């Protein structure tokens, strides 16, 4: 099984170009997938990369569950790599465990899948898409398939799932375990040395089974611990994000109120300017009227003086 590759950005030139672009495309939300695909294909064609354009155009839109699984792989590379390694260890352990060991690991497997699927749902929610219960179940089915089946793990590690994966009914090679004691064949008077070798072989097989079980338990517990720590960190990040979102909304409300007050102040200033202009116009008109009245009064006084002088 290949290891998880981590590409950042889109490098220039060559085969890696289209591979990185495809990686980016399959973490695009399904609702935007087709538009983004056509945009990238058109850009590749305009750049003279016809083969890349055809590859991009041929890519199929993933389901919401497949997109969430792709997003989980790309957004959490370290945890995804640990999950892949855990699956490899569990598959190896399942080949040799008895029923008790299988039941114990199955319970651990369910807890880890549930924790990681919740993380995928959180990533999807942060990207603007809430996963319904059926979609969430498809994500869990995909993660169980990755733990159970090597081919499914190889498909997920490519980061370009188009649909949810379905796990087999159980881990391969569980019936019967290779270390289970077989029904002895009838033999005529086996010698003491044969019985001793059989006991030694059985003890060795039991010892190997126990070692594999201990290894699988340790890997499962370590993965569960890391997932719990990641879940706590993610919850803190979500709380911080929600707090920042609330503060942003409050700041927008305050800004809206300030803008409204500013608009009212501007309208008040405009009204005051109009009133001041009207007052100035009335003042000028009154001054003109007063000047005319003074002029007319002076003329009247002069006319009275003139008439009085003539009457003498």
């Amino acid at each position: 099984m290949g290891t998880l590759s981590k590409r950042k950005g889109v490098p220039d030139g060559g085969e890696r170009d289209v591979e990185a672009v495809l990686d980016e495309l399959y973490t695009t939300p399904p609702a935007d997938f087709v538009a983004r695909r056509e945009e990238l294909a058109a850009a590749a064609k305009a750049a003279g990369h016809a083969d890349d354009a055809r590859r991009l155009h041929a890519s199929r839109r993933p389901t919401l569950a497949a997109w969430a699984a792709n997003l989980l792989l790309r957004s959490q590379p370290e945890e995804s790599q640990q999950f892949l390694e855990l699956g490899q260890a569990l598959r190896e352990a399942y080949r040799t465990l008895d029923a008790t060991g299988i039941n114990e690991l199955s319970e651990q497997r369910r807890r880890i899948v549930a924790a990681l699927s919740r993380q995928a749902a959180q990533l999807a929610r942060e990207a603007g898409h809430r996963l319904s219960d059926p979609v969430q179940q498809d994500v869990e089915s995909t993660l169980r398939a990755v733990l159970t089946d090597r081919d499914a793990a190889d498909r997920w590690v490519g980061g370009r799932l188009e649909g949810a994966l379905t796990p087999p009914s159980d881990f391969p090679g569980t019936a019967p375990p290779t270390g289970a004691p077989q029904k002895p064949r009838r033999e005529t008077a086996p010698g003491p040395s044969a019985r001793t070798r059989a006991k030694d072989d059985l003890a060795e097989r039991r010892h190997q089974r126990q070692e594999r079980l201990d290894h699988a338990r340790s890997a499962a517990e370590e993965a569960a611990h890391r997932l719990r720590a990641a879940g706590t960190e993610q919850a803190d990040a979500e709380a911080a994000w929600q707090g920042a979102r609330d503060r942003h909304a409050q700041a927008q409300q305050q800004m809206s109120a300030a803008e409204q007050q500013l608009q009212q102040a501007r309208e008040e200033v405009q009204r005051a300017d109009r009133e001041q202009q009207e007052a100035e116009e009335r003042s000028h008109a009154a001054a003109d009227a007063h000047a005319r009245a003074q002029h007319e009064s002076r003329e009247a006084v002069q006319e009275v003086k003139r008439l009085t002088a003539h009457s003498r």
Side-chain angles (χ1 to χ4, degrees):
M1 179 179 61
T3 57
L4 179 61
S5 60
K6 295 182 285 183
R7 297 190 182 96
K8 295 183 179 180
V10 180
D12 294 330
E15 180 66 18
R16 283 189 68 197
D17 236 359
V18 69
E19 297 300 330
V21 170
L22 283 166
D23 287 346
E24 181 259 337
L25 179 60
Y26 274 90
T27 57
T28 301
D32 304 326
F33 183 90
V34 173
R36 181 59 174 158
R37 179 190 67 190
E38 297 308 309
E39 178 186 358
L40 293 171
K45 186 175 181 180
H49 303 302
D51 291 340
D52 292 350
R54 280 191 291 272
R55 282 193 64 189
L56 288 166
H57 190 71
S59 58
R60 297 175 57 190
R61 181 176 64 179
T63 63
L64 197 57
W67 165 74
N70 293 333
L71 187 63
L72 174 67
L73 180 84
R74 297 299 177 193
S75 301
Q76 306 293 335
E78 293 183 4
E79 293 177 23
S80 298
Q81 183 63 46
Q82 293 165 4
F83 187 69
L84 289 165
E85 292 172 356
L86 173 63
Q88 189 173 8
L90 288 176
R91 288 192 298 275
E92 177 65 26
Y94 262 64
R95 282 194 287 269
T96 57
L97 291 181
D98 55 17
T100 302
I102 288 175
N103 291 335
E104 181 177 345
L105 286 185
S106 295
E107 180 60 31
Q108 291 178 329
R109 174 167 57 98
R110 281 191 290 271
R111 289 198 301 268
I112 293 168
V113 166
L116 205 59
S117 66
R118 286 194 298 271
Q119 196 167 354
Q122 176 61 30
L123 290 169
R125 187 160 53 249
E126 291 175 358
H129 294 271
R130 286 189 173 273
L131 303 186
S132 65
D133 289 342
V135 173
Q136 185 78 25
Q137 291 171 4
D138 285 344
V139 174
E140 292 186 4
S141 172
T142 298
L143 293 174
R144 287 198 304 272
V146 170
L147 280 183
T148 306
D149 183 59
R150 178 174 178 174
D151 291 338
D154 289 340
R155 289 180 62 189
W156 182 57
V157 81
R160 300 173 195 169
L161 291 180
E162 298 172 354
L165 302 177
T166 303
S169 59
D170 206 340
F171 272 77
T174 59
T178 57
Q182 303 295 321
K183 184 177 180 180
R185 290 178 292 181
R186 292 182 175 273
E187 297 180 0
T188 57
S193 60
R195 285 198 300 270
T196 301
R197 286 196 299 271
K199 290 180 181 180
D200 290 343
D201 291 343
L202 180 59
E204 179 62 23
R205 287 195 296 269
R206 287 175 177 171
H207 177 69
Q208 291 176 356
R209 285 202 304 272
Q210 187 60 45
E211 284 186 342
R212 293 190 181 98
L213 176 58
D214 292 342
H215 175 72
R217 283 173 177 167
S218 299
E221 289 173 359
E222 184 178 357
H225 174 73
R226 288 170 178 165
L227 285 173
R228 284 195 298 271
T232 301
E233 183 178 353
Q234 189 170 4
D236 293 343
E238 183 178 4
W241 172 76
Q242 185 62 46
R245 185 179 180 180
D246 293 342
R247 289 192 295 273
H248 181 264
Q250 184 179 5
Q252 281 187 323
Q253 292 176 352
Q254 293 174 348
M255 183 174 66
S256 177
E259 288 177 347
Q260 186 176 3
Q261 292 175 354
L262 178 61
Q263 182 62 30
Q264 291 175 351
R266 286 173 177 167
E267 292 174 356
E268 290 292 337
V269 169
Q270 290 174 355
R271 281 196 295 271
D273 287 343
R274 287 195 300 270
E275 292 173 357
Q276 181 180 2
Q277 185 176 0
E278 292 172 357
E280 288 178 354
E281 291 175 354
R282 288 196 300 271
S283 176
H284 291 156
D288 291 343
H290 183 264
R292 286 194 301 272
Q294 283 183 330
H295 177 70
E296 292 172 354
S297 176
R298 284 194 297 271
E299 288 183 346
V301 169
Q302 290 175 359
E303 181 65 18
V304 169
K305 288 181 179 179
R306 187 179 62 79
L307 293 175
T308 303
H310 281 273
S311 61
R312 290 179 181 175

